[in-house]
Structures are given as structure tokens and as C-alpha cells.
Amino acid sequence: MFPDRVKLVDVGPRDGLQNEKQMVDAAHKIDLVHRLQVAGLHEIEVTSFVSPKWVPQMSDSAQVMAGIRREPGVRYSVLTPNMKGLEAALSAPREQWPDEVVVFGAASEAFSQRNINCSVEESIERFRPVVAAAHAQGIKVRSAISCALGCPYQGEVTPDEVERLVVLMKGIGVDHCGVADTIGVGTPKRVQAAMERALKHYPIAEVSGHFHDTYGQALANIYACLEMGISNFDASIAGLGGCPYAKGATGNVATEDVVYLLNGLGIATGIDIELLVDAGAAISNVLGRPPVSRAAKAMLAKRA
Ligand code: HMG
Ligand code: MG
């Protein structure tokens, strides 16, 4: 029933640090990426090429991409909401290009307007050339179906609304479907209902879950996905994360907690949990607060 192996994308450098009030130096972001790859992460969402007026925390994206030491076998991704973002990501020397780009739409109209300043249909027209141009350069395209379990402005979001965006993303050739609970309101049965809609249109290897933990349901939601055989998840080191345009949403499920769960289930990740805890402790130290991850806190207390 469960997959033998799970692939985790650590979105901490992007989803995590985009939401911090204090500006984090590019050097610390680069160090975080290095620590994550040393811990065995094979997929890292490094930054986003978005408007610096909208998300100033990500305004050093080119510097961060230029500064990371690439490890063979690691896939580095960035968010690109439009051609301007993709062009900026590809204006660097080729060895600094992302291996994958993320187009992020929303299952609710209201969130699409607030987050990327356009309707769902308009967002698809912005993504269409991004997908084509990325593919022309051999770059994979992942989607985020934001607000798949609820919207801070609209309230409830139905599986039909999720499927509508999944179909639109598939129609423009997006390779991977990431179902995202942006505000962390989902519970296992509802998550399964949303995932079923994604699985109608994408193979299981190209469907992933991205869970924020506002109501403490993220691990239960991941477990519910594992029961369906889903083997790709986003998680964020130290439980960092949130979206500046999703008020009240807390961080993503912590990578340390997910790896602890998967280790316990005998599901391989290739990640060394001790080194992961080190990575989380280091960035938490930069931010001046302890990690949100329960597993990390327990392991750090045991070490002390
Ligand atoms: P817009 O204002 O509609 O864009 O914003 P525009 O094309 O009209 O351009 C306006 C200005 O932005 C111009 O500059 C453009 O050059 C500039 P000005 O002439 O005023 O100086 N611009 C850009 N600059 C840099 N990079 C770009 C870019 N595009 C335009 N790519 C836009 C549209 C999408 C740019 C804006 O709304 C934006 O940047 N939004 C960012 C939203 C964001 O990053 N949110 C957080 C990430 S999503 C998330 O966290 C959810 C996720 O984790 C999954 C989940 O949990 O659900 C992924
Ligand atoms: Mg998110």
C-alpha cells in the first residue's frame, strides 16, 4: 500500500524565507541550501523570481542561484510566475539555471487575484509561454495548485475547483501537479478527495502534496496520501514557511517531522535526519528562534 521510497522537496529556502519579516542575507540562504544537500535532500526549492515589490525577501534570487555549489543528482527549482521571471532565471550563465521551474496558480479566483494579481484564466495565459520556453531549454515545469483545501478570501474550495485548475495546467503542458494546502486547513479525507482529482489527470509519480500545518493536520494529511501510494511531498526545514498573501497561515510541515515519520514507517528518503536537524538548527539560529519541528526540538534536547 505504502510507497517504498518518498521524494521530498525542501521548500524552506523559498516558502520559508519568503515569509520572514527580517531580511535574511543571501549568504545564509546559500548556506541553508548547502546544508540541505549535505543532509541528503535531492530536491531543493531555492528561491523565486517574482516582483521585488511584492516579495522583497526573494529579491536576491539571482545572487542566491549564483552562489550555490551544485551537487550532482540534486534538482534545484525556482518559482517563475511569468515570462519576466523565467527570463530573469535564464539570464544567468547556464550552470546557474534552475533544473525545474514552478508556476503557481490558485484553485480559487480570490487567491489568484491577491497572490499574482490576475484571474485563474489570465494566470494560465501567463504560464503558457513559461512552460513552452522552459521545455525548449529542457527544464521541467511543476505546478502549485494553491488553496486546494481552502482559501483565506473565498473560504471553502471544492474538489471541482481543484480539478478545473489541474486540467488547465495539464492543458498547457505542465509536467507535475503539486496540490497545495496553502493555509493548512485540510483534513485527511478532504485531502484524499483533492488528490483523487489530480490523479485523474497525472500519473502518481507526478503528483505531490504541499501541506501547511496551521491546524496541526499536515502529518495526518501526508499519511493519508501515503495510503493512496503518493510518494512526493514538499516539506520545509524547521517548519518555516507561509505565504505573505495568505494571512494567518503558518509554516509548512517540517522536513524533520516528515523524515521522522517516514523512517518509522520504513520508507526510504536518502536523508540523514541528524544532518537535517543540524540544518534546521542553523537557520533557526539565524532567525533567532527555535525550530517549529517537534522532532527537531526533541532531538536537540536529547543531544544537550
Ligand atoms: P503585476 O503587478 O500584475 O505584474 O504582478 P506586471 O506584469 O503588471 O508588472 C508590474 C511590475 O512588476 C513591473 O515593474 C514589472 O517589471 C515587475 P515596474 O515597472 O512597476 O517597476 N515584474 C517583475 N519583477 C520581477 N520578477 C518578475 C516580475 N513580473 C513583473 N517575475 C506578479 C504580477 C506575479 C509579478 C506579482 O503579483 C508577484 O510577484 N507576485 C508574487 C507572489 C508570490 O511570490 N507569492 C508567494 C509565492 S506563492 C506561495 O507561497 C504558495 C505556494 O507555496 C504553494 C502553497 O502553499 O499554496 C507556492
Ligand atoms: Mg506554500
Side-chain angles (χ1 to χ4, degrees):
M1 185 173 60
F2 283 165
D4 297 332
R5 194 173 182 85
V6 153
K7 273 199 280 182
L8 294 180
V9 180
D10 200 296
V11 299
R14 195 280 306 171
D15 201 331
L17 299 181
Q18 78 177 8
N19 206 43
E20 289 299 324
K21 287 202 173 60
Q22 58 177 297
M23 294 296 266
V24 175
D25 286 349
H28 289 309
K29 296 175 177 177
I30 293 164
D31 181 61
L32 176 59
V33 170
H34 291 166
R35 286 175 180 274
L36 290 171
Q37 61 196 17
V38 165
L41 261 304
H42 285 103
E43 301 201 32
I44 304 173
E45 200 171 273
V46 178
T47 184
S48 49
F49 285 85
V50 297
S51 161
K53 286 184 190 147
W54 284 63
V55 188
Q57 294 89 334
M58 295 285 108
S59 59
D60 56 2
S61 47
Q63 201 186 338
V64 174
M65 288 303 283
I68 56 177
R69 190 183 57 248
R70 301 288 180 116
E71 229 17 272
V74 177
R75 188 188 285 163
Y76 304 88
S77 55
V78 303
L79 268 57
T80 53
N82 53 19
M83 278 306 288
K84 193 172 167 88
L86 184 74
E87 280 161 6
L90 303 190
S91 67
R94 196 168 189 127
E95 62 275 12
Q96 295 170 17
W97 286 10
D99 304 302
E100 182 176 59
V101 295
V102 184
V103 290
F104 47 108
S108 84
E109 284 293 342
F111 191 72
S112 184
Q113 290 289 354
R114 300 287 184 109
N115 194 41
I116 51 174
N117 204 25
C118 62
S119 70
V120 173
E121 296 257 333
E122 283 164 347
S123 75
I124 292 296
E125 291 318 312
R126 290 182 184 183
F127 301 153
R128 189 188 299 277
V130 174
V131 178
H135 282 168
Q137 300 295 346
I139 295 171
K140 189 174 176 181
V141 185
R142 182 152 54 88
S143 68
I145 311 289
S146 298
C147 293
L149 277 306
C151 167
Y153 309 106
Q154 169 185 315
E156 203 177 315
V157 172
T158 65
D160 283 349
E161 288 172 295
V162 172
E163 188 171 357
R164 170 186 173 227
L165 182 58
V166 171
V167 169
L168 288 170
M169 290 287 195
K170 175 91 183 173
I172 57 169
V174 171
D175 304 298
H176 179 99
C177 180
V179 176
D181 185 5
T182 312
I183 56 171
V185 292
T187 45
K189 290 282 179 212
R190 294 191 54 236
V191 166
Q192 287 182 335
M195 288 296 177
E196 269 163 22
R197 300 305 182 97
L199 290 169
K200 273 170 71 179
H201 305 281
Y202 280 88
I204 198 157
E206 296 299 351
V207 171
S208 60
H210 173 112
F211 299 110
H212 286 258
D213 202 28
T214 317
Y215 283 80
Q217 303 297 301
L219 282 181
N221 291 337
I222 288 178
Y223 195 88
C225 291
L226 291 170
E227 284 185 330
M228 299 172 82
I230 292 169
S231 60
N232 292 287
F233 300 96
D234 294 352
S236 178
I237 188 70
L240 301 174
C243 174
Y245 299 98
K247 204 163 176 276
T250 62
N252 292 74
V253 66
T255 316
E256 298 93 315
D257 293 351
V258 180
V259 172
Y260 185 83
L261 171 71
L262 295 171
N263 284 351
L265 292 171
I267 297 174
T269 60
I271 296 169
D272 179 326
I273 194 164
E274 295 288 346
L275 294 175
L276 194 61
V277 168
D278 291 344
I283 189 64
S284 299
N285 195 33
V286 169
L287 298 172
R289 57 167 195 263
V292 175
S293 161
R294 296 246 190 108
K297 275 189 199 150
M299 289 175 67
L300 287 167
K302 221 169 160 186
R303 281 184 197 173

